[in-house]
Amino acid sequence: MCRIGKNTCKSIAYFLSLLCLCCRFTVLLLPVNDFLIDPKNDLTYTMWKDIPVPFFMSVYFFNVLNPAEILKGEKPMVEQRGPYVYRKQCQKENITFHPNGTVSYREYRQYHFEPSMSAGNESDVVTIPNMLVLGASVMMENLPYVLRLMMSATFKTFKEGAFLTKPVGELMWGYDSGLVDFLNQYLPGMIPTSGKFGLFSEFNNSNTGLFTVFTGKDDIRKVHRVDSWNGLTELPYWRTAQSNMINGTAGQMWPPFMTKESTLPFYSPDACRSMELVYQRPGEMYGIPLYRYVAPKTLFANGTDYAPNEGFCPCRQSGLLNVSTCRHNSPVFISHPHFFNADPVLLDYVQGLNPSEEKHGLFIDIHPQTGVPLNVSIRLQLNLYMKKVSGITETGKISDVVMPMIWFEENGYIDGPIVNTFHTNLVVLPTVLEYLQYILIGLGLATIIYLDQLHSLLLLFWHSCDRIITLISNPPHPTPAPTDSTSIHVTVVTSITLLLLLSVDLQTNAMQNISYDLIRCGTVNSSACQ
């Protein structure tokens, strides 16, 4: 039997249950089902389907200052021009849910020039390497000499030189070229476009391919993870199975409940490969906690410096990703802007580059509990490998060099009404519930202490009454009554002292019994405390 009473034991059990419930409030705030890709989840599904935050692409051109000298073998000199900023609009279409817990879609993108955010106009004229001439020259390096002579004659016919000077808008989105029409007619497949030729002509009003991703229905840890891309579960571009793996998400959202040991893998169709970011540091944005993930130095390292990247070769210096295998064999390389985190020798080949992590490092700030990015900045640089090719006089005496052409940043961050929604759900409510948890714990402890003291007093009173009744029922042998006031006083003091000693003894025994009962009731179920 539980000696402190059935009600007290029930109070203790109720308090312990309440404590456990309080500790789970923050998890119950966002149930696991709310993270699924499901039209029933208004907030998360809308964020996934139509990205609610503005995204921008900022483009910087490397304007060539000494094209004539480069043809004589001198070191290239460039100056950065820009940014030319474009608002990016993304929308998922053809959304189809499948019985195996996946969903397929195509994401379409459009770009609109933002003059107020740009450091110039699309009419600005810049000089960059001519990819049609220099790229084709390297691609034809090992062909018969006579074919190279014929190609050189073709370049002259269409008045195409090693460098191109045109407005930014035409270089971005395309310009009419007789050479492009000629190559498409007689050498189909040599270049990736059949109309106007531009650096981003494939991007605007296009989609990123058919993605199939997991909804998280069967396993929340797989939500947003790519199952296939264009029907492929692995890529055909690279030399090893590891390099051809399609890992991670589509690069927009990640599974919830991330830790500092978690990584941020995603597949990029534009880079033709999967990439993985690593944790750098914690932070805050609008009071919302976040983790910052950055690209490791090994991301674009060559196979010599980092063996797992051997599959992306043939390689040049570390810091360059050879994407020729997925770009019609054009000698194109991707890197961080200004060759940040690359082999320092690349900076010696080109004058005018100044890499820094703050300006040129890519990062993603993510809310770890939801997997939702709060601030994103993806920065990449497009480079062209150029060299002298015998038989093609347009290449002159150009030294072998990986020449930077442009670099671009795609960035976006939460803003507007979505910030208030996030702050309320991810900061305010968890804080309120945390304080409420401690308040309820305090109230529970105070209640137990109050009941404990009350029960002790009741036990003391009961034992005292029982003792008095016993004394009345069995009086001691009569003694002579005191006759003087001193004797009466001594007798009263003695009696009171005896009663106090008795009370202390009774209270000590009662407290020992209550302590025993508390321990016993705390280690067995409530039914044992009846």
Side-chain angles (χ1 to χ4, degrees):
M1 291 290 291
C2 180
R3 300 181 183 180
I4 61 175
K6 180 168 65 176
N7 291 336
T8 304
C9 277
K10 287 184 176 180
S11 297
I12 296 173
Y14 175 76
F15 166 69
L16 294 175
S17 300
L18 185 61
L19 177 60
C20 293
L21 181 62
C22 289
C23 293
R24 290 174 172 81
F25 267 166
T26 55
V27 177
L28 293 175
L29 178 64
L30 289 172
V32 170
N33 287 341
D34 283 354
F35 298 111
L36 305 181
I37 301 177
D38 189 338
K40 297 178 182 178
N41 299 333
D42 292 337
L43 177 61
T44 53
Y45 181 75
T46 301
M47 290 183 62
W48 172 80
K49 180 176 180 294
D50 301 309
I51 301 176
V53 300
F55 254 83
F56 299 93
M57 180 176 70
S58 302
V59 181
Y60 299 81
F61 281 82
F62 290 104
N63 183 47
V64 179
L65 300 177
N66 60 336
E69 288 75 14
I70 295 174
L71 291 172
K72 296 177 183 179
E74 296 185 16
K75 180 188 295 188
M77 297 176 57
V78 298
E79 65 172 359
Q80 180 175 289
R81 300 279 295 275
Y84 300 94
V85 182
Y86 298 84
R87 178 182 292 270
K88 180 181 180 181
Q89 292 182 333
C90 298
Q91 185 173 0
K92 293 179 176 66
E93 297 184 5
N94 304 325
I95 299 175
T96 305
F97 287 87
H98 306 292
N100 65 343
T102 61
V103 57
S104 299
Y105 65 90
R106 290 184 183 271
E107 183 171 87
Y108 289 83
R109 52 191 177 182
Q110 291 183 333
Y111 295 90
H112 304 278
F113 184 60
E114 293 285 346
S116 62
M117 302 176 65
S118 303
N121 297 310
E122 286 189 306
S123 59
D124 293 350
V125 175
V126 296
T127 299
I128 63 172
N130 189 340
M131 288 187 65
L132 290 175
V133 172
L134 297 177
S137 299
V138 174
M139 293 167 64
M140 298 184 67
E141 181 181 13
N142 297 319
L143 294 181
Y145 186 75
V146 64
L147 291 180
R148 283 177 268 153
L149 289 175
M150 292 175 60
M151 180 57 69
S152 181
T154 302
F155 291 152
K156 291 179 175 63
T157 299
F158 292 100
K159 298 180 180 179
E160 296 282 355
F163 294 91
L164 195 63
T165 301
K166 285 189 175 295
V168 166
E170 293 186 15
L171 294 174
M172 284 286 297
W173 310 116
Y175 56 91
D176 293 319
S177 171
L179 178 61
V180 171
D181 297 335
F182 174 83
L183 293 176
N184 282 324
Q185 182 177 355
Y186 295 101
L187 296 172
M190 183 175 181
I191 56 177
T193 181
S194 58
K196 293 184 175 183
F197 181 81
L199 297 175
F200 286 84
S201 58
E202 294 183 353
F203 283 60
N204 208 10
N205 299 311
S206 65
N207 67 80
T208 55
L210 180 64
F211 274 95
T212 300
V213 302
F214 289 98
T215 63
K217 179 181 178 182
D218 298 324
D219 186 350
I220 191 60
R221 295 171 297 179
K222 298 172 67 175
V223 65
H224 302 296
R225 186 181 301 175
V226 177
D227 180 46
S228 67
W229 175 74
N230 283 341
L232 302 173
T233 55
E234 60 180 24
L235 302 172
Y237 307 129
W238 311 108
R239 298 169 53 187
T240 63
Q242 181 180 354
S243 299
N244 279 319
M245 292 176 65
I246 299 177
N247 296 324
T249 72
Q252 296 177 343
M253 298 179 74
W254 280 264
F257 314 124
M258 303 182 69
T259 67
K260 295 178 180 179
E261 287 71 35
S262 302
T263 59
L264 227 58
F266 63 96
Y267 171 64
S268 170
D270 298 325
C272 307
R273 59 165 288 187
S274 298
M275 296 192 284
E276 188 172 47
L277 307 187
V278 296
Y279 172 84
Q280 184 191 53
R281 61 173 176 81
E284 282 191 359
M285 183 174 182
Y286 304 119
I288 303 172
L290 58 83
Y291 285 169
R292 170 159 290 191
Y293 288 83
V294 298
K297 283 190 174 183
T298 56
L299 182 63
F300 295 142
N302 60 25
T304 302
D305 293 341
Y306 186 63
N309 282 354
E310 180 65 32
F312 297 115
C313 293
C315 300
R316 297 189 66 82
Q317 295 88 349
S318 278
L320 299 173
L321 174 65
N322 186 348
V323 293
S324 60
T325 55
C326 65
R327 289 290 182 265
H328 303 272
N329 292 319
S330 179
V332 176
F333 291 80
I334 289 177
S335 70
H336 294 299
H338 288 246
F339 295 134
F340 171 69
N341 265 353
D343 190 325
V345 72
L346 293 170
L347 298 175
D348 295 334
Y349 295 152
V350 181
Q351 185 175 339
L353 303 179
N354 298 287
S356 72
E357 181 177 6
E358 181 181 357
K359 295 179 179 179
H360 306 127
L362 67 83
F363 66 86
I364 296 178
D365 292 337
I366 197 165
H367 183 255
Q369 295 303 314
T370 61
V372 175
L374 305 179
N375 187 20
V376 177
S377 181
I378 303 298
R379 299 159 173 164
L380 295 173
Q381 180 171 296
L382 184 66
N383 310 279
L384 180 68
Y385 174 58
M386 58 187 196
K387 61 181 295 187
K388 174 186 176 181
V389 178
S390 63
I392 302 179
T393 58
E394 284 72 20
T395 60
K397 298 179 181 180
I398 295 177
S399 300
D400 291 18
V401 61
V402 178
M403 184 72 174
M405 298 178 64
I406 63 168
W407 73 271
F408 60 92
E409 174 187 20
E410 287 201 348
N411 70 293
Y413 55 90
I414 61 169
D415 198 7
I418 192 69
V419 173
N420 297 329
T421 302
F422 261 66
H423 191 268
T424 299
N425 286 279
L426 303 180
V427 178
V428 176
L429 288 180
T431 301
V432 170
L433 291 176
E434 181 179 5
Y435 282 111
L436 181 60
Q437 169 181 322
Y438 295 127
I439 292 173
L440 291 176
I441 291 174
L443 289 175
L445 290 173
T447 301
I448 286 182
I449 294 172
Y450 170 75
L451 292 175
D452 183 29
Q453 293 180 345
L454 178 61
H455 191 66
S456 298
L457 292 174
L458 290 175
L459 283 175
L460 179 61
F461 176 75
W462 183 83
H463 283 296
S464 299
C465 291
D466 185 62
R467 183 64 175 169
I468 292 172
I469 292 172
T470 300
L471 291 174
I472 294 175
S473 301
N474 301 287
H477 294 291
T479 56
T483 56
D484 54 43
S485 59
T486 301
S487 299
I488 294 175
H489 179 72
V490 170
T491 301
V492 171
V493 170
T494 303
S495 300
I496 292 175
T497 302
L498 290 173
L499 284 174
L500 287 174
L501 292 174
L502 177 63
S503 298
V504 170
D505 180 64
L506 290 174
Q507 186 175 10
T508 302
N509 291 332
M511 291 301 294
Q512 290 176 347
N513 290 333
I514 292 173
S515 299
Y516 167 79
D517 290 331
L518 282 173
I519 295 173
R520 180 170 175 271
C521 289
T523 55
V524 300
N525 55 42
S526 300
S527 61
C529 300
Q530 303 296 325

